[in-house]
Amino acid sequence: MPAPTLLVVTHSQSGRTAQLAEAAVTGARSDDGGATEVIVADPLTVSIDTVQAAGGYIFATPENFGYMSGALKYFFDRVYYPCEAQLAGRAYGLIVSAGNDGRGAISSVERIVSGLSLVAAQPPLRVVGDPDEDALNEAHTLGATLAAGLDAGIF
């Protein structure tokens, strides 16, 4: 049986989201003895096959005009119907790097992933402004939690 895969779909403009996503990836890869493979993907180019093959997901986006980034929205537009019936029950985590309050970006992603029947592994990580050490630690924990859950077969 192949190792489970955690797909990290991330888009960053200012670099803040990239910092948080990298902390999550580091956390996912730090799972001692874990077998989960971590793939980092660009939302504009990741293939449908890669999305369908993953056992869990982390979506990392900046808040743009009170919404997710256009790149992440494009990703969901591309994968929604081809993946709609295949992803039910798979776990996801969400990271939003906000310049305002981030709640609009969170709710927009949550509406879409609920249609895909994905299940939140933990509450969304919302970081307003530059990520500090606490925010980076929370992102690290999010990645480690998803990887450990995939390794253990919980997700």
Side-chain angles (χ1 to χ4, degrees):
M1 182 172 188
T5 301
L6 176 61
L7 179 62
V8 181
V9 181
T10 181
H11 177 251
S12 184
Q13 292 171 273
S14 69
R16 295 186 315 198
T17 306
Q19 287 179 288
L20 293 162
E22 184 57 36
V25 167
T26 300
R29 289 181 174 155
S30 70
D31 183 25
D32 294 334
T36 296
E37 177 184 5
V38 180
I39 298 173
V40 180
D42 181 323
L44 301 175
T45 60
V46 64
S47 74
I48 302 285
D49 290 341
T50 300
V51 175
Q52 291 173 340
Y57 310 89
I58 294 176
F59 305 112
T61 182
E63 171 195 48
N64 289 344
F65 306 108
Y67 199 71
M68 72 182 93
S69 74
L72 190 62
K73 175 62 168 74
Y74 175 74
F75 163 80
F76 285 126
D77 287 344
R78 275 190 321 110
V79 306
Y80 190 88
Y81 291 111
C83 295
E84 180 179 29
Q86 297 176 3
L87 306 185
R90 296 184 194 180
Y92 80 95
L94 174 60
I95 299 170
V96 172
S97 175
N100 190 12
D101 73 1
R103 288 180 175 88
I106 290 170
S107 68
S108 64
V109 171
E110 287 179 334
R111 276 192 306 274
I112 293 170
V113 297
S114 72
L116 292 169
S117 299
L118 296 177
V119 178
Q122 62 185 63
L125 173 57
R126 179 177 57 99
V127 178
V128 178
D130 292 328
D132 60 14
E133 186 175 339
D134 288 341
L136 294 171
N137 286 335
E138 286 184 58
H140 186 277
T141 299
L142 183 148
T145 299
L146 275 156
L150 288 169
D151 284 343
I154 296 169
F155 306 129

